[in-house]
């Protein structure tokens, strides 16, 4: 026993468990297994049993893509948050193999952070706002947060989207956006020097094309924003000339996500003002790309980019070296897409 409470192994549970309120003392993955086992025996989460870390705490759910990692980290760093709240962890929308959220979790959720998930999403109707929101308990704070996927293309007009990944023991690692200028440079020159000259030219893409794409992405953001509780267009417009806001065509940088998270915390009533001393670790820089000189010229970007990228903790997103120069980026890109290793 533990402080007078009986302890049972999952495979040796007594028959009279319905006489008890059960505390499940286990790591998260083990808890999920135990939860399913108890449910098969007719027990209901939160009514008949609870994960010990959630005892007497409010419940947080985050239903989002990889951007959800920022919201989680920010909330966890707010003083006192983890003393009051416990997160029941959901996979990212793309990785939710069950295609649903346990309804017992929804009935007991106190904060539900979600992106604008449409009924016709490619994963599952049961993850959509239309299905989930009516199942939340009265008083649950449901907050629709931004989804920046695709909006970063405003700064990467030569990008054709994430096209190259490799399989590793724990899943797939994305390596590169396909780049039409690099493809064109390789077909024309077959040398790093030639590709680099084309890629870094201030005239590589016409200014009108770059500006039209920027306006198109801005219009899409303004349209999406109508469904978001956390409005962000002013953050983007006030900062894009002075800060790098996207690592690549789909992943926002910390410079963008930090003020977005601060605004989310104010919306939830967890902070009084958006200014904060909280910092975020780099999370989504695993396919970081260079913003080209032609883009900086067309959009009048004032910030300067260092000569190397991908300096973070990711080790599977490059063939070798701790960071990538322009030349090494080109070399590795051509190796992955063309199967050719260019020496020079």
């Amino acid at each position: 026993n533990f402080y007078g409470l009986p302890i049972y192994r999952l495979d040796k549970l007594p028959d009279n468990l319905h006489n008890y309120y059960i505390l499940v003392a286990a790591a998260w993955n083990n808890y999920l297994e135990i939860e399913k086992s108890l449910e098969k025996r007719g027990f209901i989460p939160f009514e008949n049993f609870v994960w010990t870390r959630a005892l007497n705490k409010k419940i947080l759910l985050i239903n989002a893509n990889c951007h959800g990692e920022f919201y989680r980290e920010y909330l966890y760093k707010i003083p006192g948050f983890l003393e009051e709240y416990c997160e029941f962890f959901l996979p990212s929308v793309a990785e939710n193999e069950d295609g649903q959220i346990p309804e017992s979790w929804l009935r007991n959720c106190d904060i539900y952070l979600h992106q604008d998930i449409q009924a016709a999403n490619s994963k599952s109707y049961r993850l959509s706002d239309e299905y989930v929101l009516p199942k939340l308990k009265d008083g649950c704070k449901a907050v629709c947060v931004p989804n920046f996927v695709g909006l970063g293309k405003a700064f990467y007009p030569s990008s054709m989207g994430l096209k190259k990944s490799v399989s590793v023991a724990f899943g797939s690692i994305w390596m590169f956006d396909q780049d039409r200028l690099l493809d064109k440079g390789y077909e024309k020159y077959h040398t790093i020097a030639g590709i680099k000259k084309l890629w870094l030219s201030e005239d590589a893409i016409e200014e009108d094309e770059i500006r039209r794409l920027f306006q198109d992405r801005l219009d899409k953001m303004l349209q999406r924003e109508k469904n978001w509780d956390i409005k962000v267009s002013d953050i983007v417009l006030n900062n894009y000339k002075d800060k790098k806001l996207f690592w690549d065509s789909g992943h926002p940088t910390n410079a963008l996500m930090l003020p977005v998270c601060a605004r989310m915390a104010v919306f939830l009533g967890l902070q009084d003002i958006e200014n904060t001393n909280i910092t975020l670790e780099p999370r989504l820089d695993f396919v970081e790309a260079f913003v080209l000189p032609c883009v900086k010229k067309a959009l009048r970007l004032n910030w300067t980019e260092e000569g190397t990228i991908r300096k973070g903790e990711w080790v599977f997103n490059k063939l070798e070296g701790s960071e990538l120069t322009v030349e090494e980026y080109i070399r590795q890109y051509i190796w992955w897409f063309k199967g050719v290793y260019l020496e020079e």
Side-chain angles (χ1 to χ4, degrees):
N1 65 71
F2 180 75
Y3 286 90
L5 300 175
I7 298 175
Y8 299 102
R9 289 167 53 96
L10 183 59
D11 57 351
K12 294 183 179 181
L13 296 177
D15 295 330
N16 66 339
L17 275 182
H18 283 89
N19 297 329
Y20 298 92
Y21 187 74
I22 305 167
L23 304 180
V24 182
W28 176 249
N29 288 337
N30 294 330
Y31 168 77
L32 292 177
E33 178 185 349
I34 294 170
E35 181 184 80
K36 291 178 181 178
S37 178
L38 290 174
E39 284 182 312
K40 289 179 181 178
R41 298 182 61 163
F43 296 92
I44 302 172
F46 299 101
E47 293 184 21
N48 306 119
F49 67 92
V50 67
W51 188 31
T52 50
R53 294 188 183 182
L55 184 64
N56 298 324
K57 290 185 178 181
K58 299 176 182 178
I59 303 302
L60 165 70
L61 295 176
I62 300 177
N63 189 23
N65 56 21
C66 55
H67 303 171
E69 296 180 21
F70 284 106
Y71 302 112
R72 173 178 298 109
E73 181 185 356
Y74 192 95
L75 289 172
Y76 281 21
K77 288 183 175 180
I78 294 176
F81 182 84
L82 291 177
E83 283 70 45
E84 185 175 359
Y85 289 89
C86 175
E87 181 180 2
F88 271 49
F89 300 96
L90 297 174
S92 68
V93 173
E95 296 175 344
N96 192 323
E97 298 300 329
D98 292 336
Q100 61 184 338
I101 303 170
E103 297 203 5
S104 60
W105 297 9
L106 297 175
R107 290 194 302 269
N108 290 275
C109 180
D110 296 281
I111 293 180
Y112 178 66
L113 294 184
H114 65 102
Q115 290 170 325
D116 181 21
I117 305 175
Q118 299 296 308
N121 73 84
S122 61
K123 194 64 178 181
S124 170
Y125 173 69
R126 287 175 175 265
L127 294 175
S128 70
D129 293 350
E130 181 176 286
Y131 180 84
V132 170
L133 294 180
K135 297 185 178 297
L136 298 171
K137 71 177 184 181
D138 291 341
C140 176
K141 297 178 180 178
V143 182
C144 188
V145 294
N147 182 358
F148 290 107
V149 168
L151 298 181
K153 188 170 171 59
F155 304 98
Y156 299 93
S158 60
S159 169
M160 299 168 67
L162 287 169
K163 296 292 180 68
K164 183 55 63 175
S165 65
V166 294
S167 296
V168 294
F170 50 84
S172 295
I173 296 292
W174 288 104
M175 302 292 286
F176 290 97
D177 276 14
Q178 188 168 1
D179 189 301
R180 59 187 174 95
L181 280 182
L182 291 180
D183 292 346
K184 178 181 178 181
Y186 175 75
E187 296 302 323
K188 186 173 183 179
Y189 296 107
H190 292 277
T191 65
I192 290 178
I195 298 169
K196 178 182 175 181
K197 181 178 179 180
L198 184 149
W199 201 43
L200 299 187
S201 168
E202 289 191 344
D203 302 316
I205 303 174
E206 291 185 2
E207 288 193 13
D208 285 348
E209 179 183 345
I210 295 171
R211 290 171 183 162
R212 282 196 302 270
L213 178 60
F214 180 86
Q215 187 61 49
D216 175 75
R217 297 294 108 171
L218 177 60
D219 291 343
K220 287 184 182 299
M221 179 171 58
L222 292 170
Q223 184 62 35
R224 290 186 193 178
E225 192 177 57
K226 293 177 181 179
N227 295 328
W228 299 344
D229 292 309
I230 311 303
K231 311 300 183 185
V232 298
S233 56
D234 62 312
I235 296 175
V236 173
L237 289 172
N238 291 336
N239 288 279
Y240 81 91
K241 288 188 176 182
D242 299 313
K243 300 176 182 178
K244 185 173 184 176
L245 299 184
F246 287 87
W247 296 117
D248 58 84
S249 62
H251 296 97
T253 66
N254 297 40
L256 175 54
M257 288 305 300
L258 184 59
V260 172
C261 288
R263 189 166 290 184
M264 173 266 304
V266 171
F267 186 89
L268 284 169
L270 300 173
Q271 292 183 173
D272 295 328
I273 57 175
E274 293 180 14
N275 294 328
T276 176
N277 293 323
I278 292 176
T279 58
L280 298 174
E281 297 298 322
R283 293 292 179 188
L284 303 178
D285 57 343
F286 48 90
V287 284
E288 184 183 6
F290 288 100
V291 174
L292 300 181
C294 60
V295 175
K296 293 179 180 178
K297 177 184 176 184
L299 299 181
R300 308 296 190 264
L301 304 184
N302 300 320
W303 54 270
T304 58
E305 191 163 44
E306 296 183 26
T308 56
I309 60 174
R310 302 197 187 186
K311 300 178 183 180
E313 62 188 21
W314 298 92
V315 295
F316 295 102
N317 64 347
K318 41 193 174 283
L319 290 175
E320 59 187 1
S322 60
E323 53 197 40
L324 299 181
T325 62
V326 169
E327 292 81 5
E328 190 60 29
Y329 185 96
I330 294 171
R331 179 182 290 110
Q332 294 195 25
Y333 176 93
I334 298 303
W335 191 91
W336 281 111
F337 280 94
K338 309 299 181 182
V340 175
Y341 188 88
L342 298 176
E343 293 290 348
E344 299 294 339

